[in-house]
Amino acid sequence: MARTPQRYSEETYKQKIDLYEDKKIAFHVMDDHGSFSPGHWHEAIEIIYILEGTTIVNIFDQSVTMHPGQFMLVNSGVVHSTRCPEKNRAILIQIPDEFLASYLPDTSTLWFSIDFASKDPVVQEDIRKLDCLLLSMKDLQEDTRPGYLLPFHRQLFDFLDLLYRKFLKKMPVNYHPKSSRILSRLDAVITYTHRHYTAPISLKEAAEVAALQPEYFCRFFRQNMGMTYLQYLNDYRLSRIYRDLIATELSIQELQEKHGFTNDKLFHRLFRDRFQTTPLKIRKAARAASLE
């Protein structure tokens, strides 16, 4: 029986942020044994700091491999994907626009850019200060002694102050902030995709969720997500398979069927194109890492 497309305008996939009530931001030290998060965005500034292992971030048609001691800032509303190809440990910070709006003017125009390759010693010193503040916040959170929130917030505001004074830039001319109407349509389509990805979803079906004609929907989705809808659908299926390769004992064939792939040859081609390896090698590597 065909599904009836529904509108999910109240549910968002500006990916959910797990805020700490006492901090009003998200600040996590995360251990990851292997994961893939397909294209998504946040209504927040996101900072990823690698402590151990590596993480691959795809943003603006660029793929950046991050190593220990490196960090990256992703501006609010920017679509990006991340992949942890092996066991890693990282700091993940998400500072919501709503939080920033209490202290800074017009957060919709904020754009931060850190030139890590700069030869300017002043810039490098400012980057070093950001680095030290991030690690200091991590140490304070892990210590959790009574009253630790006082120095934690001091470090957080020092970090934001330095970021705002030294790394605030003009928004790139080729980047256009997404309107609430665009975000609402994207939220609806992505939420619908996450609910029904195990079955075939046609372009017509996805377009109806967005209340757009199929021809315009294709342009709309590519323009705002940086990929076609079919690429996103398959990426999401692959992300679920990637997770279950590590977390379950299900066979590769069972995982394909569970997560919506009906064509074995297509699945293996897409998997290799995305991860440059095979499902079995990822499972073996994850098992070996868990024994270390």
Side-chain angles (χ1 to χ4, degrees):
M1 181 181 294
R3 296 181 303 280
T4 301
Q6 302 175 45
R7 301 298 302 280
Y8 296 105
S9 58
E10 298 304 317
E11 298 186 36
T12 65
Y13 194 69
K14 49 180 186 283
Q15 201 178 64
K16 182 182 178 182
I17 298 173
D18 295 322
L19 299 179
Y20 281 90
E21 284 302 315
D22 56 358
K23 300 183 180 71
K24 307 304 180 185
I25 67 168
F27 192 101
H28 306 283
V29 179
M30 306 175 68
D31 291 294
D32 192 333
H33 291 276
S35 65
F36 169 54
S37 180
H40 62 280
W41 71 92
H42 310 277
E43 288 187 6
I45 296 170
E46 179 172 274
I47 298 105
I48 304 167
Y49 188 112
I50 306 303
L51 297 167
E52 301 172 15
T54 60
T55 291
I56 301 167
V57 181
N58 289 289
I59 183 171
F60 292 131
D61 297 325
Q62 292 184 327
S63 181
V64 180
T65 300
M66 300 173 60
H67 299 279
Q70 296 180 333
F71 68 93
M72 173 182 286
L73 183 148
V74 181
N75 282 287
S76 176
V78 173
V79 176
H80 59 289
S81 65
T82 59
R83 182 166 74 91
C84 169
E86 57 188 20
K87 181 180 179 181
N88 88 338
R89 195 163 194 255
I91 303 170
L92 176 67
I93 307 172
Q94 293 160 333
I95 306 171
D97 295 347
E98 184 178 2
F99 178 92
L100 293 173
S102 299
Y103 307 99
L104 297 174
D106 196 4
T107 56
S108 66
T109 64
L110 289 179
W111 188 270
F112 299 105
S113 180
I114 303 174
D115 183 7
F116 292 96
S118 173
K119 302 298 183 182
D120 186 334
V122 175
V123 173
Q124 286 300 318
E125 176 61 17
D126 288 334
I127 292 173
R128 187 192 67 79
K129 290 177 181 177
L130 291 177
D131 185 288
C132 290
L133 287 165
L134 291 171
L135 292 176
S136 179
M137 283 187 279
K138 166 189 168 291
D139 291 342
L140 285 165
Q141 173 159 297
E142 291 180 336
D143 187 8
T144 64
R145 70 182 63 182
Y148 87 97
L149 281 174
L150 290 171
F152 180 93
H153 278 109
R154 182 174 67 244
Q155 305 284 39
L156 172 62
F157 282 105
D158 282 347
F159 179 89
L160 292 173
D161 176 55
L162 182 59
L163 195 65
Y164 187 75
R165 287 187 295 107
K166 299 298 185 72
F167 298 100
L168 182 67
K169 307 294 181 183
K170 287 186 176 180
M171 190 171 286
V173 294
N174 60 344
Y175 179 78
H176 303 285
K178 298 174 181 60
S179 68
S180 59
R181 187 177 182 183
I182 288 174
L183 289 175
S184 178
R185 280 179 165 156
L186 287 174
D187 288 343
V189 172
I190 292 175
T191 299
Y192 184 82
T193 302
H194 290 189
R195 289 188 172 188
H196 300 292
Y197 77 95
T198 58
I201 302 176
S202 68
L203 281 175
K204 182 176 182 296
E205 193 173 344
E208 287 178 7
V209 173
L212 296 171
Q213 293 297 318
E215 296 78 10
Y216 182 71
F217 170 75
C218 292
R219 295 195 299 272
F220 166 83
F221 196 89
R222 179 187 279 276
Q223 183 178 35
N224 288 287
M225 291 294 290
M227 66 185 76
T228 68
Y229 177 71
L230 183 58
Q231 286 173 324
Y232 179 82
L233 173 59
N234 284 329
D235 262 5
Y236 186 69
R237 287 169 173 160
L238 289 174
S239 75
R240 305 292 289 188
I241 290 174
Y242 197 107
R243 181 201 64 181
D244 280 356
L245 274 171
I246 296 166
T248 77
E249 298 297 326
L250 294 174
S251 70
I252 307 303
Q253 186 64 41
E254 287 173 317
L255 289 176
Q256 288 177 233
E257 295 171 357
K258 177 183 176 182
H259 294 298
F261 280 107
T262 58
N263 185 313
D264 183 73
K265 186 175 291 187
L266 173 65
F267 162 71
H268 283 281
R269 178 174 64 79
L270 291 174
F271 196 97
R272 183 176 285 278
D273 286 347
R274 170 54 71 186
F275 304 119
Q276 290 77 54
T277 188
T278 66
L280 284 176
K281 287 182 179 179
I282 283 179
R283 175 168 274 173
K284 288 179 180 177
R287 287 174 177 170
S290 67
L291 297 175
E292 293 178 356

